[in-house]
Amino acid sequence: MPPTKLIVFSAPSGAGKTTIVKHLLAKYPQLAFSVSATTRAQRPHELHGRDYYFISQAEFEQKIAAGEFLEYEQVYGGTYYGTLKAEIERLRGAGRHVVFDVDVEGGLHIKAFYQAEALAVFVKVSSLEVLAQRLNARNTESAEKKAERLAKATKEMAYATQFDTVVVNDDLPTALARAEQLYEQFTAA
Ligand code: ADP
Ligand code: 5GP
């Protein structure tokens, strides 16, 4: 059996990668989500083991020391996020393609490690104003955290050219159709 494929979605916060990833997961049963570990606080609708593995800083640092992460980062104000090697092995061992929702640097690390087995997709919107509006509408962060995410977004936009492909998420149905096309082409190859 050929090895399964990895498809990585990265984007500035608010660009819509979670929306796109959830759509693909609902549509394609062979696709599974790589659940990351994080030290950030759990949001009301999130579940441990489905959205993230919510762990303490001490536990996260133990896992770093034990070499359990393929990549990890301190993304916002010291909060750790990381992709566990065991998570990818578990999903691929079950014959699933794996989709990732990670930040821009994490996406490039995964691509650098897996090369042709991975497709790195950068999701963008055409303006920072739109990003700001979406973060306001989502309303999951404090004003300070939103400002931090927008500042980071400005820097992240410059990374788009290092990805295999870019999906523009201005009109959602168009972006979802493009994501489906990318998934189908990449997993058929
Ligand atoms: P990310 O995971 O990149 O931070 P989300 O998928 O959480 O982004 O999207 C941010 C917010 O924008 C959410 O409230 C989502 O419902 C909304 N959203 C996503 N795509 C679009 C779109 N094309 N048009 C309008 N709103 C969108
Ligand atoms: P949020 O707190 O909104 O869930 O995610 C914050 C950011 O961390 C998002 O850009 C998300 O993609 C990123 N992220 C989530 N998991 C990982 C991971 O395992 N590694 C890296 N590098 N970033 C991650």
Side-chain angles (χ1 to χ4, degrees):
M1 208 170 54
T4 61
K5 300 284 182 69
L6 310 174
I7 179 158
V8 186
F9 285 89
S10 298
S13 186
K17 64 188 174 313
T18 306
T19 306
I20 292 172
V21 166
K22 287 197 167 146
H23 173 80
L24 294 180
L25 286 165
K27 179 155 178 136
Y28 301 108
Q30 205 197 339
L31 185 63
F33 182 59
S34 167
V35 179
S36 296
T38 185
T39 60
R40 90 146 155 71
Q42 195 167 346
R43 294 178 187 147
H45 300 292
E46 289 179 329
L47 285 181
H48 178 82
R50 182 192 68 183
D51 299 290
Y52 283 104
Y53 299 111
F54 294 98
I55 63 177
S56 67
Q57 183 160 337
E59 198 180 337
F60 203 105
E61 288 173 351
Q62 267 168 18
K63 289 183 185 298
I64 296 173
E68 291 182 34
F69 288 106
L70 171 63
E71 62 80 33
Y72 70 91
E73 271 176 73
Q74 283 190 293
V75 177
Y76 299 108
T79 305
Y80 282 115
Y81 293 86
T83 306
L84 293 158
K85 293 175 188 167
E87 177 74 359
I88 302 173
E89 285 158 18
R90 177 177 76 80
L91 298 172
R92 296 188 94 187
R96 313 285 291 277
H97 299 303
V98 185
V99 66
F100 300 77
D101 172 342
V102 295
D103 91 322
V104 167
E105 287 186 38
L108 292 175
H109 277 129
I110 294 168
K111 173 69 190 181
F113 187 81
Y114 283 104
Q115 305 265 323
E117 286 176 68
L119 181 74
V121 184
F122 188 91
V123 181
K124 69 184 251 188
V125 291
S126 47
S127 78
L128 286 172
E129 286 72 32
V130 173
L131 264 192
Q133 281 164 13
R134 289 198 192 156
L135 285 175
N136 281 332
R138 190 173 71 183
N139 205 22
T140 48
E141 277 83 27
S142 64
E144 188 197 342
K145 290 232 157 72
K146 270 186 288 204
E148 193 176 32
R149 281 166 190 249
L150 279 176
K152 184 168 183 265
T154 311
K155 294 188 201 132
E156 285 170 338
M157 295 298 260
Y159 285 82
T161 54
Q162 295 180 48
F163 281 71
D164 293 318
T165 188
V166 174
V167 169
V168 178
N169 180 23
D170 287 340
D171 174 60
L172 186 57
T174 306
L176 296 180
R178 175 77 184 128
E180 287 177 14
Q181 186 188 41
L182 286 171
Y183 173 81
E184 289 179 19
Q185 280 171 358
F186 186 60
T187 55

